[in-house]
Amino acid sequence: VVRVGLSGVFEVIVGNGLGVGAGDFSATFEATPDFPLVSITTMIAPSPDWFSGVHDINLFEDDDTPKARVELDVFAYDAGTDSGLTYTATNDPTVPREDISRKTDYAFSSGNRIGKVVITTDESGDGST
């Protein structure tokens, strides 16, 4: 865990991941009205450079009360750094790098979500999320 002052990042949490293609993962972290946003990213292994996640999700209402529950669908993205076309492709660097894009080919041709992020408020009553 890395904590950085007011420069923008309050906490970085590194988890163990799933290890297989399906399942649940949980982590505990603190969010405050001063640091209300959460971003989550995970690689889709052993893919070339595919990942999934959410970015800058506000965990507080306008009056600074924590949201009780946030649910978001997540999708697969291509980081644009590797030209491998399949899930198990060997490294083939993309030169020049491309923009990040949503995966709509290979196993993701339907464009459907690949998972869900669920964030709930700690019911300890201390006001943190």
Side-chain angles (χ1 to χ4, degrees), residues 13-75:
I13 302 165
V14 178
N16 293 331
L18 297 176
V20 295
D24 295 325
F25 170 79
S26 67
T28 302
F29 61 93
E30 180 181 359
T32 67
D34 290 331
F35 292 93
L37 306 178
V38 65
S39 295
I40 301 168
T41 188
T42 186
M43 67 180 292
I44 301 174
S47 69
D49 62 345
W50 304 345
F51 68 98
S52 186
V54 295
H55 177 64
D56 285 353
I57 305 306
N58 191 338
L59 300 180
F60 287 82
E61 303 291 351
D62 290 339
D63 65 359
D64 288 342
T65 58
K67 294 179 181 176
R69 183 179 181 94
V70 176
E71 289 189 35
L72 301 161
D73 291 336
V74 293
F75 301 88

Side-chain angles (χ1 to χ4, degrees), residues 80-100:
T81 61
D82 193 296
S83 295
L85 298 178
T86 65
Y87 185 66
T88 57
T90 58
N91 288 337
D92 182 14
T94 303
V95 179
R97 292 182 177 178
E98 297 175 352
D99 291 338
I100 293 172

